[in-house]
Structure formats: C-alpha cells, structure tokens
Amino acid sequence: MARLRNLVILTGAGVSAESGIATFRGPGGLWEGHRVEDVCTPEALARDPALVHRFYDLRRAALDTVEPNAAHHALARLDAAWPGDLLIVTQNVDDLHERAGASRLLHMHGELRSALCAACGIREGWAEALPPETECPNCGMLALRPDIVFFGEMPYQMERIEAALAAADLFVSIGTSGAVYPAAGFVQTARHYGAATLEMNLEPSGGSHWFEESRMGPAGALVPAWVEELLAGA
Ligand code: BV8
C-alpha cells in the first residue's frame, strides 16, 4: 500500500456496541421502541418536547454506566501515535471516543453531553437531565434543547469533513450500516479523490460495495489488529 499520510475514520453505533450501547437498527434497536419520527426530528421536538427531552435524558444518564471498549482504545492509540493527519468523524453522540483519549475527533450528529440553545445557538456542556424550557445560561431564553442533529438538520462541521476527505489517503468506516446520509456518502467522496477505502463491520453494510476492502467481525477484535498493522508500517 502506497505510503499513507492522511487518514479519515468514520465510526457509527457498531463501535460502541461492545460497550453495551445498543445500535439503532439491530435487533432491539436503540430507539427504545420509539419510531425515529417520534424522537429524532424537529417536528417531534415541537410536537412533544417532554418525550424527546426524556429520550435523550435517558441516553445521557446511561453514559455513566458504560466504558470505552478495545476499539475506542485502539483508535485513541492510533490518534496519539499517527504522524500524519488523522480525523475521527463519529456519528455517535456518546463520549466513549474522548473517554478513551481520542482528540482529533468530531461529532457530526451532536453529543449527548451537550445542550444547544435554539434561540442564540450556543452549545453548552451538559451532563445532567435537560427538561424542556430550561434557561439558556447565555441568552436567558427558555430554549435549551438536546445538542443532537435531528433528521432534516444539517450535520456539524461538514466543510471540515469534506476537506479531510479530499486530502485523505485512506478512508476507514467502522461499525455503521451506511443507512444515514451524508455520512453514508463519504466513501464515495473519498474514492472520488483517490483514497483507499476499508470497511470494518459486523456484517455487510448498505455501502459495502463501495469499499475496496471489507473486514467483517466485531470492532473490538478487528480495530486493534488493524491499528497495530498500520502502526507497524507507519
Ligand atoms: C441532512 C442523532 C440535509 C443522534 C441521527 C433519502 C436519501 C438520502 C438521504 C435522505 C433521504 N431522505 C432523507 C434523507 C436525509 C436523512 C437520511 O439520511 N435519512 C435516511 C434514513 C434515508 N439525513 C438527514 O436528515 C441528515 N441531515 O441530510 O440534512 C440538510 C441540507 C441543508 C440544510 C439542512 C439539512 C441528518 C442525519 C442525522 C440524523 N441523526 N442521530 C442520535 O439520536 O443518536 S442518525 C443516527 O443514525 C445516529 O447518529 C447513528 O449514528 C446514525 C447511523 O446509524 P449507525 O451508526 O450506522 O447505526 P446502525 O444501528 O444503523 O448500524 C450499526 C452497524 O454496526 C450495523 O451495520 C451493525 O452490523 C454494526 N455492528 C453492530 N455491532 C457491531 C457492529 N460492527 C462492529 N462491531 C460490532 N460489535
């Protein structure tokens, strides 16, 4: 493989599955029996703010009961040791990548441990329950909401992601079903700019055919092996 310098790594719910955080679309999916339209859209928030706030309060509270797994730790080790550019783009809203020590990281779909003010747009670290009509510490409006990118809302830092994909020598997708855009399209963008592409997932995803290489299995086993392989050749 030609000398690699710039890596972009996309992660999804599958990278947190072995930490005990249920995925979205697997058996017993994450949505706690809710239809996605009822908890992860702006319309749902307007229609039933208590339901949506409670859904995210439960998931935020659950973060205290889970730990990063071997895949998170391996990616943090790669982040610390990799001499070239590296960006972990996670679709996940949990904080397991950062708790494992990753720093070159962005959450494109928002974060459970953050609140967003719908009035002034400020994002505020938030670890406890967030009831509807909570006062924004910045503007004083009762407009704090979960800092989550709902369906129909623009994911965060898309320009930074697109610039990283354009410069990538290798694009790796870990633990995602390839069901949600624009994340599901990143592999095509990376290929367009000439990056090599690798998928690691428990089973073939919706986008497997776009990847030059696919490794099937649990992230907790595949990712540490891949990181050691990469660092050995760095
Ligand atoms: C936007 C919030 C535009 C946080 C989420 C038709 C065609 C194309 C696109 C669309 C369309 N109709 C609508 C759209 C757009 C829509 C979309 O893609 N819809 C889909 C359903 C068709 N996208 C959007 O709305 C996005 N915004 O497009 O904005 C725009 C333009 C201009 C101006 C304004 C707006 C916003 C999308 C973000 C939505 N928010 N989550 C939260 O509540 O968590 S999405 C949600 O799905 C999560 O973020 C999650 O991360 C994401 C993707 O799911 P996965 O992570 O892949 O999880 P999943 O369970 O699906 O899969 C897990 C995988 O892991 C499986 O494959 C499994 O096999 C594997 N696995 C399991 N265990 C393991 C494992 N792998 C390894 N090891 C294991 N142990």
Side-chain angles (χ1 to χ4, degrees), residues 12-14 17-18 23-25 31 40 56 59 91-93 109 148-155 175-182 201-203 217-219:
E18 289 158 83
T23 61
F24 292 81
R25 297 171 184 86
W31 300 98
C40 191
Y56 285 101
R59 292 171 64 195
Q91 300 173 88
N92 300 338
V93 293
H109 290 164
I148 297 293
V149 177
F150 292 142
F151 284 96
E153 295 183 329
M154 180 59 87
T176 181
S177 63
V180 174
Y181 289 81
N201 207 54
L202 198 59
E203 64 208 357

Side-chain angles (χ1 to χ4, degrees), residues 70-71 74 77 200 215 218-232:
R77 188 162 58 250
M200 289 182 271
R215 298 183 188 181
L222 291 181
V223 177
W226 170 70
V227 166
E228 293 324 311
E229 185 186 305
L230 205 61
L231 291 178

Side-chain angles (χ1 to χ4, degrees), residues 34 37-39 41-55 132:
H34 292 291
E37 300 76 26
D38 295 340
V39 288
T41 62
E43 296 75 18
L45 182 64
R47 182 175 61 244
D48 191 345
L51 172 71
V52 174
H53 279 249
R54 194 165 53 247
F55 177 68

Side-chain angles (χ1 to χ4, degrees), residues 56-224:
Y56 285 101
D57 283 353
L58 287 173
R59 292 171 64 195
R60 186 178 311 108
L63 290 181
D64 297 332
T65 66
V66 295
E67 295 293 331
N69 64 55
H72 296 108
H73 288 299
L75 290 175
R77 188 162 58 250
L78 178 63
D79 183 11
W82 188 253
D85 289 344
L86 178 148
L87 181 61
I88 300 171
V89 179
T90 188
Q91 300 173 88
N92 300 338
V93 293
D94 63 54
D95 59 351
L96 296 179
H97 279 303
E98 42 271 71
R99 284 166 57 190
S103 54
R104 293 186 277 183
L105 166 73
L106 72 84
H107 287 265
M108 65 179 290
H109 290 164
E111 299 174 64
L112 286 170
R113 286 202 163 148
S114 174
L116 169 69
C117 179
C120 71
I122 195 168
R123 300 174 69 191
E124 190 82 22
W126 204 273
E128 59 268 8
L130 177 64
E133 314 233 318
T134 297
E135 182 178 325
C136 169
N138 179 56
C139 73
M141 297 288 284
L142 302 179
L144 285 187
R145 55 165 271 189
D147 185 10
I148 297 293
V149 177
F150 292 142
F151 284 96
E153 295 183 329
M154 180 59 87
Y156 285 124
Q157 302 196 56
M158 284 303 294
E159 285 178 20
R160 182 178 170 200
I161 296 168
E162 279 150 7
L165 291 170
D169 302 307
L170 175 61
F171 174 74
V172 184
S173 176
I174 304 171
T176 181
S177 63
V180 174
Y181 289 81
F186 290 166
V187 60
Q188 296 169 59
T189 305
R191 284 177 63 115
H192 169 76
Y193 286 103
T197 53
L198 165 64
E199 175 184 53
M200 289 182 271
N201 207 54
L202 198 59
E203 64 208 357
S205 72
S208 288
H209 57 286
W210 291 108
F211 288 87
E212 289 159 314
E213 185 187 355
S214 276
R215 298 183 188 181
M216 296 293 117
L222 291 181
V223 177

